[in-house]
Amino acid sequence: MARAAILDIDGTLVDTNYHHALAWYRAFRQHGLVLPVWRIHRHIGMGGDQLIAALTSDATDEELGDDIRAAEKALYMALIEQVEPMQGARELIADLKKRGQSVVLASSAKANEVEHYLDLLDARELADGWTTSADVEATKPNPDLVKAAMEKAGGGKAVMVGDTPWDVKAAKRARVPTVTLLTGGFSAAELEDAGAVAVFESIDDLRTSLDD
């Protein structure tokens, strides 16, 4: 059994992926770029420092990227009070702790967002640590976030729990296997193609399989 569990926050522990997709859609639209929401959703989980170029072009990112990112931040924060924890999220943390694993919650979001999620999950006294944007130089699919979480867990063998192909790719680059959930809106085939070692429909399904 892995000594540490790295739990992605956005889309895995809290239900944020579609809120982010809508905020990005509105941010692009404010700057004269109308993109299909389904295309934006396919890139949720990728860091905002890479998402704009991936969806448009390097030239667009260079010209408008900072303004679009700032707009998305404000638009998302207007929605954040609507975000709810995934069913069983806090219980998963507790289950893993009872099994003797270190648990680090992983996010490259700004500190104020992560603080909000910690309050939603009532996880401050339960988790062994968490990451924020201050802990990473390059976001997913780069491995910085996973490596930072491993460091906070004290090193050693770890497993990641995530919900997007970008989680899987980042963990793979850090040589950490990823168990995934369908809660982020990606199909089992997409997650498996990215390299997930297992796919579960929900947190509760994963919890019932922990002893396996």
Side-chain angles (χ1 to χ4, degrees):
M1 184 174 69
R3 197 187 77 79
I6 301 168
L7 306 184
D8 173 67
I9 297 178
D10 275 282
T12 302
L13 297 181
V14 294
D15 192 7
T16 60
N17 284 15
Y18 293 96
H19 299 75
H20 275 296
L22 183 58
W24 279 114
Y25 170 79
R26 290 172 173 170
F28 279 115
R29 193 167 181 269
Q30 282 183 4
H31 291 82
L33 299 168
V34 179
L35 303 180
V37 180
W38 72 265
R39 281 194 61 221
I40 296 172
H41 173 257
R42 309 327 290 166
H43 289 76
I44 297 300
M46 174 184 280
D49 57 338
Q50 302 180 68
L51 180 146
I52 294 172
L55 279 167
T56 57
S57 66
D58 290 336
T60 299
D61 190 21
E62 185 174 343
E63 180 182 356
L64 298 173
D66 289 344
D67 291 338
I68 295 173
R69 277 183 282 272
E72 192 277 338
K73 170 72 172 176
L75 289 161
Y76 176 72
M77 292 306 291
L79 297 171
I80 198 169
E81 293 299 330
Q82 299 175 25
V83 169
E84 295 288 343
M86 297 291 187
Q87 182 172 311
R90 189 179 192 280
E91 291 81 0
L92 173 63
I93 301 171
D95 290 345
L96 293 168
K97 292 290 294 180
K98 287 176 184 176
R99 286 165 169 75
Q101 291 178 289
S102 297
V103 178
V104 175
L105 310 186
S107 175
S108 58
K110 299 295 184 183
N112 61 333
E113 288 182 48
V114 175
E115 294 289 329
H116 182 77
Y117 302 146
L118 291 171
D119 289 339
L120 277 181
L121 295 163
D122 189 22
R124 293 178 187 276
E125 304 300 323
L126 193 56
D128 293 286
W130 48 84
T131 66
T132 70
S133 59
D135 296 303
V136 299
E137 292 186 13
T139 58
K140 294 178 290 189
N142 290 302
D144 298 31
L145 178 64
V146 181
K147 290 181 177 180
M150 290 174 67
E151 195 171 307
K152 288 179 181 287
K157 190 176 180 182
V159 64
M160 175 116 176
V161 180
D163 64 286
T164 75
W166 312 109
D167 297 327
V168 182
K169 291 176 181 179
K172 191 174 182 179
R173 292 179 182 181
R175 299 185 178 180
V176 172
T178 307
V179 172
T180 53
L181 308 174
L182 298 182
T183 52
F186 293 86
S187 69
E190 289 174 292
L191 297 168
E192 290 167 351
D193 286 347
V197 298
V199 180
F200 295 91
E201 182 173 325
S202 65
I203 288 177
D204 284 341
D205 286 340
L206 170 59
R207 290 178 61 213
T208 62
S209 302
L210 286 177
D211 290 332
D212 297 338

